[in-house]
Amino acid sequence: MAKQVIKVPDLGGADQVDVIEIAVAVGDTVAEEDALIVVEGDKASMDVPAPMAGKILSLSVKEGDKVSEGDVIGEIEVVGEAAADSAEEAAEESKQEPAAEAAPVAEEAAPAPAPAGEAVEQEIKVPDLGGADAVDVIEITVAAGDEVGEGDSLIVVEGDKASMDVPSPAAGTIVSISVKEGDKVSTGDVIGVIKAQAEGGAAAPEPAAPAPAPAPAPAAQAPSAAPKRDHQLERDLTVSAEVYAGPAVRKLARELGVTLNKVKATGPRNRVTKDDLHAYIKEQVQKAESGAVGVGAGLPPMPEIDFSQFGPVNVEPMSKIHKITAANMSRNWLNVPHVTQFDDADITELEDFRKSMKAEAEKRGVRLTPVPFLLKAAAAALRAEPSFNVSLHNDGEQIVRKDYVHIGMAVDTPKGLMVPVIRDVDKKGLYELAEEATEMALAARDGKLKPRDMQGACFTISSLGAIGGTGFTPIVNAPEVGILGVSKLSVQPVWNGKEFVPRQMLPLALSYDHRAVNGGDAGRFMTYLVNVLGDVRRLLL
Ligand code: CAO
């Protein structure tokens, strides 16, 4: 019998990946493509499949090891001619047995395991179709004389809602297939005969499950071929109904967390094959490893550009915060359907008041900038318009209504953007908010914020007023409902009904998650906010 070393296949560019699972043991008999070990790179995991059907002779890796493409992970012994020959002989012998003796066994109980090497002819039956009846045979995947492994697909049937494989009940040689494409079959129908190779009794046919309906084909004279995975097959009939794939492929897809309808099918009648699944995983690993933008979003990856061809450049690593911000921005931009509403708040009186209070604030050691007023006004608006103080639940089917008002404040730091959260803003006074905003901004710039200091906000304020600009469209910091972008205050001529008067106008841009709230909710929130900023006495109401 021929031996062959098993090597790690092309990992799609990944290197030194972790062995996270050993799926077989020495002595196991496997079919070609069966998963032997599972390896995991930084961002994805994949099976290392058996290069051929055979018996595992040795495994030279263990969980936790690191492997690369081409590394030897073990040896497999090909089940060669010799085995097939002895199976033939055994089959001849078994044919001498009177068929009548086997019949009652098939109806009542499991047959005794056949001695090692003995081949038994058995009928192959359509397994439980999970309630479907008279389904179409859409594909014949084997022919008489073919060697198959247990569980290998023999024919593919298709009901109203899905297609499924009829798997081989045992490893062995196909003697005949008695159906053809276009035929209709039901649970229990005989579709062919297999000469099953029993190995030391281990691969003996499964106990005969009582068929739900009598088989219309000739009465069973050999042990029933009912496969052992009926429950699995039932489930397979109901999942991803639009995708054509066999149970083995579906199982692998589930294990790998792959949504089958994303995989490009190359099999007959557009069926997803194991190779398709591996190709898909390989592509994803490649994309993930290369850090390509657009993974999973169906977007074409960004082209790789060598900027030095245009002029001198200096390429430096991004800070950790910058990388996290970039990932969050992409996630939020792609997941949240944004709408941005604009308005200008007339804060002439607010500014007069703020300036009149500055000296007093300074005596208390507090800087009274517009930010604490914005925090207080936004908190009042969230309380006044509770339909805006919400988040979309993770399941996309529920709305979370909040009875607290925590507001995030975007802070520009040398290491990147940080958003500390000020809690219970509605319950705090202006001085307290001014103090806390200053402390939080300092902590952010000194890198002293704890994870909890940046969690739990209902809403965020991003003020670029001290920097400049007339407006910008901020990105919602999901799962928060919205974000207020504040630009630079400027004096504008405003018509008061009789004349134009100079007023200090603050440009506001409110971006919100249109899945969680509608334009009406956002419009009412913004109008309330603008009115409160226009007359801060309203905060007392
Ligand atoms: N228009 C005009 N002037 C404004 C203003 C506005 N909208 N907002 C603030 N100012 C003034 C302040 O009043 C202050 O002047 P005075 O000292 O004379 O009062 C001056 O600008 C500087 O303010 P500041 O920046 O020190 O403090 P702040 O309270 O306005 O802002 C903070 C604090 C933390 C929000 C701010 O420092 C910051 O980091 N902003 C950047 C936020 C950011 O990066 N957003 C983008 C996120 S999305 O990419």
Side-chain angles (χ1 to χ4, degrees), residues 31-382:
E32 187 177 358
E33 291 294 308
D34 276 1
L36 303 180
I37 67 169
V38 185
V39 296
E40 188 175 64
D42 269 353
K43 293 175 185 142
S45 60
M46 68 179 278
D47 288 355
V48 173
M52 65 185 67
K55 192 185 235 176
I56 301 296
L57 283 186
S58 67
L59 284 172
S60 48
V61 290
K62 58 183 187 319
E63 280 178 25
D65 283 358
K66 286 199 181 292
V67 292
S68 297
E69 182 185 332
D71 283 358
V72 172
I73 61 155
E75 279 180 311
I76 187 165
E77 184 175 57
V78 185
V79 182
E81 296 293 326
D85 288 347
S86 63
E88 295 254 341
E89 281 164 34
E92 281 308 309
E93 274 170 40
S94 73
K95 273 188 189 163
Q96 316 287 321
E97 305 267 328
E101 270 181 39
V105 173
E107 278 168 27
E108 284 166 30
E118 185 176 299
V120 194
E121 272 196 6
Q122 62 180 90
E123 289 175 339
I124 307 162
K125 290 182 180 179
V126 176
D128 186 351
L129 292 171
D133 201 28
V135 294
D136 292 319
V137 175
I138 61 162
E139 200 186 330
I140 309 286
T141 46
V142 291
D146 281 0
E147 292 277 346
V148 293
E150 186 183 2
D152 282 0
S153 172
L154 303 180
I155 69 167
V156 185
V157 296
E158 187 183 51
D160 273 351
K161 295 188 190 132
S163 67
M164 66 181 278
D165 291 351
V166 173
S168 177
T173 311
I174 299 296
V175 176
S176 65
I177 292 289
S178 51
V179 289
K180 58 184 188 315
E181 277 185 26
D183 283 358
K184 288 203 180 287
V185 292
S186 298
T187 300
D189 282 1
V190 174
I191 60 147
V193 176
I194 184 170
K195 193 187 286 175
Q197 172 61 47
E199 268 202 27
E206 289 291 316
Q221 293 183 346
S224 163
K228 59 182 174 184
R229 292 183 299 167
D230 285 357
H231 60 288
Q232 181 67 59
L233 295 167
E234 263 174 56
R235 233 185 312 146
D236 287 326
L237 257 182
T238 56
V239 290
S240 292
E242 315 88 77
V243 181
Y244 288 82
V249 173
R250 288 187 189 283
K251 183 166 178 274
L252 185 59
R254 271 196 299 275
E255 283 167 6
L256 295 173
V258 173
T259 308
L260 269 179
N261 55 17
K262 288 188 181 159
V263 179
K264 187 167 176 270
T266 62
R269 295 193 182 224
N270 235 12
R271 281 179 71 227
V272 178
T273 65
K274 249 183 190 177
D275 283 347
D276 296 338
L277 207 50
H278 285 299
Y280 175 82
I281 293 289
K282 185 173 152 186
E283 189 188 316
Q284 297 307 306
V285 170
Q286 263 169 350
K287 279 186 191 167
E289 296 284 336
S290 72
V293 177
V295 174
L299 298 174
M302 298 290 282
E304 229 174 82
I305 293 174
D306 173 13
F307 293 93
S308 66
Q309 64 184 303
F310 308 120
V313 291
N314 180 23
V315 180
E316 54 192 42
M318 285 161 84
S319 71
K320 198 175 164 201
I321 292 173
H322 196 167
K323 280 197 237 171
I324 293 171
T325 303
N328 285 346
M329 290 296 172
S330 299
R331 185 197 63 195
N332 296 341
W333 180 253
L334 290 169
N335 282 300
V336 177
H338 282 70
V339 174
T340 306
Q341 172 168 347
F342 303 91
D343 210 341
D344 291 338
D346 182 342
I347 60 165
T348 311
E349 272 84 38
L350 187 156
E351 276 296 275
D352 289 347
F353 174 63
R354 186 177 73 85
K355 280 176 185 150
S356 72
M357 297 302 292
K358 258 192 131 181
E360 182 186 312
E362 264 161 36
K363 272 191 211 150
R364 291 167 159 252
V366 175
R367 271 182 74 229
L368 204 54
T369 68
V371 165
F373 290 89
L374 289 163
L375 286 165
K376 191 75 195 160
L382 285 167

Side-chain angles (χ1 to χ4, degrees), residues 19 53 145 254 294 353 437 461 469 518 539:
V19 176
R254 271 196 299 275
F353 174 63
I461 293 177
N518 287 324
L539 288 172

Side-chain angles (χ1 to χ4, degrees), residues 325 329 347 351 354-355 358 362 367-372 374 409-413 416-420 434 437-438 440-442 444-445 460-469 472-475 483-490 505-508:
T325 303
M329 290 296 172
I347 60 165
E351 276 296 275
R354 186 177 73 85
K355 280 176 185 150
K358 258 192 131 181
E362 264 161 36
R367 271 182 74 229
L368 204 54
T369 68
V371 165
L374 289 163
M409 179 184 69
V411 181
D412 186 30
T413 83
L417 176 66
M418 316 238 13
V419 188
T438 306
M440 286 292 202
L442 281 177
R445 285 174 183 140
T460 285
I461 293 177
S462 174
S463 173
L464 289 178
I467 298 170
F472 64 103
T473 54
I475 297 176
I483 180 166
L484 184 74
V486 183
S487 293
K488 192 175 170 67
L489 172 70
S490 69
M505 305 302 287
L506 184 69
L508 302 175

